[in-house]
Amino acid sequence: MAEGLTDIPERGGHGGRHVPVLLKEAIDFLAIKRGGTYIDATVGLGGHSLEIAKRLGAPGHLIGLDKDPAALEIAREKLAVGRSSLVVGQEQKQQDWPTVELIHASFADLANQRLRTYDGILADLGVSSLQLNDPARGFSFQAEGPLDMRMNTQSGQSAEQVVNQLDEVALADLIYEFGDERRSRRIARAIVRSRPIRTTAELTEIVSAAARPMNRLEGKHERRIHPATKTFQALRIYVNSELKDLQSLLNAAPQLLKRGGRLVVISFHSLEDRIVKDSLREGAKQGHYKILTKKPVVAAEEEVNKNPRSRSAKLRAVERI
């Protein structure tokens, strides 16, 4: 079974205090240069971006990208508050804040531009708690909502369209490929027979029944995860083109980074981590990179205790040479 598939990975919470995963490690590996130009490729709720901005200063430039317009608005507010906190009683510090540009876009779009180079790129992958905890977004099997799952709610195919329109073979293939689900054929057959499916609760019930072990031998090595976990993950990855977009970013990174620039990627399951590992190793073979993390950096026990969602995170970093 693939690592990390026991959980739906999250990139931090909202509604309480936002806790960015592997924050210190990510900032350390970026080795931020004051006045430099950096990209937070998955700005999310702005936790990592805020720390980058604090260290950049003027005339630095921070560019934050995210598919989710709601997340961008929260990040915008967080960065504005962060800037204001430097001003109180210290007027001169108001000027010591980088230019911040937040863009509603996928980091895959970086592959289409080659005119600028950057001192560092951070990509914190996965789904955020802002998305997961809102039933209206349709990411979670733990609350009833519409089957959406789109990070960009303004465009693209929803999970409802996928489960109701894709043929059985294609549906089984995506559940297996993106969810590492051994019962993908059985689940796809059950989905097709139950159409139309409109809500997360309906899909959860169908998948749970189909994924249940048929006998003691089949269930012997099962890990204690919800039976819908893998199918929901697979649909989310497919709907948002997550692995395709990740590969696009990794392919473009050598041309996007300045000499000495750093690329830091935090992944949350083995499908992502494998792509990152293979791409960075290939880049090193081609003379593009010096690998800074021979093994992935994982959260310390203290962070996992405070923030359980960090337990599946893996950080890899390289430097452009």
Side-chain angles (χ1 to χ4, degrees), residues 36 55 72 83 89 97 113 115 137 142 145 149 181 189 193 204 212-213 216 227-228 234 249 256 270 285 318:
R55 289 159 176 77
L72 281 176
R83 184 177 189 274
W97 190 256
Q113 66 94 12
L115 299 179
R137 301 296 297 271
Q142 295 178 331
M149 297 195 193
E181 174 57 81
R189 191 177 310 119
R193 288 175 177 174
T204 300
R212 190 175 295 119
R216 183 178 298 178
L249 172 64
L256 294 171
S270 61
K285 286 181 182 178
V318 291

Side-chain angles (χ1 to χ4, degrees), residues 38-73:
Y38 288 80
I39 292 178
D40 186 344
T42 49
V43 72
L45 304 184
H48 289 105
S49 282
L50 179 60
E51 294 304 317
I52 294 171
K54 287 178 180 177
R55 289 159 176 77
L56 261 183
H61 190 183
L62 171 62
I63 301 168
L65 308 176
D66 207 285
K67 294 178 179 180
D68 190 336
L72 281 176
E73 287 308 306

Side-chain angles (χ1 to χ4, degrees), residues 228-248:
T229 298
K230 297 179 180 182
T231 298
F232 269 68
Q233 174 183 284
L235 288 169
R236 190 203 84 218
I237 290 172
Y238 180 84
V239 164
N240 295 290
S241 301
E242 292 179 36
L243 301 186
K244 181 180 178 181
D245 285 1
L246 173 59
Q247 192 64 66
S248 295

Side-chain angles (χ1 to χ4, degrees), residues 14-168:
H14 187 59
R17 187 171 66 89
H18 171 49
V19 185
V21 171
L22 293 171
L23 177 60
K24 181 183 184 302
E25 293 83 351
I27 296 300
D28 287 348
F29 275 107
L30 277 176
I32 296 165
K33 302 173 184 176
R34 287 188 64 81
T37 303
Y38 288 80
I39 292 178
D40 186 344
T42 49
V43 72
L45 304 184
H48 289 105
S49 282
L50 179 60
E51 294 304 317
I52 294 171
K54 287 178 180 177
R55 289 159 176 77
L56 261 183
H61 190 183
L62 171 62
I63 301 168
L65 308 176
D66 207 285
K67 294 178 179 180
D68 190 336
L72 281 176
E73 287 308 306
I74 293 171
R76 198 181 309 279
E77 293 174 12
K78 182 186 291 287
L79 288 161
V81 170
R83 184 177 189 274
S84 299
S85 69
L86 296 180
V87 181
V88 179
Q90 302 181 54
E91 194 68 27
Q92 70 277 12
K93 283 195 172 185
Q94 183 175 9
Q95 311 306 322
D96 194 24
W97 190 256
T99 300
V100 177
E101 184 180 0
L102 299 182
I103 302 172
H104 180 213
S106 166
F107 53 67
D109 297 334
L110 292 169
N112 299 322
Q113 66 94 12
R114 297 285 195 277
L115 299 179
R116 298 181 66 179
T117 53
Y118 306 91
D119 294 293
I121 300 172
L122 170 65
D124 176 19
L125 309 174
V127 62
S128 76
S129 292
L130 171 71
Q131 298 156 341
L132 190 64
N133 293 342
D134 182 357
R137 301 296 297 271
F139 284 95
S140 177
F141 48 77
Q142 295 178 331
E144 183 165 13
L147 265 177
D148 195 319
M149 297 195 193
R150 292 174 298 165
M151 293 178 181
N152 181 1
T153 54
Q154 299 176 359
S155 67
Q157 189 179 37
S158 69
E160 180 181 338
Q161 291 172 299
V162 173
V163 299
N164 287 303
Q165 296 175 10
L166 223 57
D167 68 66
E168 184 177 323

Side-chain angles (χ1 to χ4, degrees), residues 149-312:
M149 297 195 193
R150 292 174 298 165
M151 293 178 181
N152 181 1
T153 54
Q154 299 176 359
S155 67
Q157 189 179 37
S158 69
E160 180 181 338
Q161 291 172 299
V162 173
V163 299
N164 287 303
Q165 296 175 10
L166 223 57
D167 68 66
E168 184 177 323
V169 172
L171 192 57
D173 287 346
L174 86 83
I175 293 171
Y176 180 78
E177 181 181 358
F178 299 136
D180 194 30
E181 174 57 81
R182 293 184 296 107
R183 301 183 183 95
S184 61
R185 303 291 173 201
R186 191 192 307 168
I187 291 169
R189 191 177 310 119
I191 288 173
V192 170
R193 288 175 177 174
S194 302
R195 289 170 173 170
I197 304 168
R198 304 300 182 198
T199 70
T200 54
E202 289 178 71
L203 181 62
T204 300
E205 184 178 352
I206 293 161
V207 172
S208 297
R212 190 175 295 119
M214 307 225 14
N215 52 56
R216 183 178 298 178
L217 182 62
E218 188 178 65
K220 184 178 180 181
H221 301 295
E222 285 293 288
R223 299 174 72 174
R224 293 182 179 178
I225 64 171
H226 192 286
T229 298
K230 297 179 180 182
T231 298
F232 269 68
Q233 174 183 284
L235 288 169
R236 190 203 84 218
I237 290 172
Y238 180 84
V239 164
N240 295 290
S241 301
E242 292 179 36
L243 301 186
K244 181 180 178 181
D245 285 1
L246 173 59
Q247 192 64 66
S248 295
L249 172 64
L250 294 170
N251 290 345
Q255 289 73 47
L256 294 171
L257 288 169
K258 296 177 181 178
R259 182 179 299 178
R262 300 280 184 93
L263 171 65
V264 178
V265 183
I266 302 172
S267 62
F268 287 86
H269 57 74
S270 61
L271 299 176
E272 292 172 338
D273 184 58
R274 189 180 307 121
I275 291 172
V276 175
K277 177 180 68 175
D278 291 346
S279 179
L280 299 188
R281 284 182 177 177
E282 182 60 29
K285 286 181 182 178
Q286 295 180 10
H288 297 315
Y289 298 135
K290 175 175 71 175
I291 292 180
L292 304 175
T293 49
K294 292 183 179 179
K295 293 182 178 180
V297 175
V298 298
E301 184 178 354
E302 182 181 0
E303 179 175 0
V304 173
N305 290 337
K306 292 180 179 178
N307 183 16
R309 64 179 61 94
S310 67
R311 66 185 174 270
S312 56

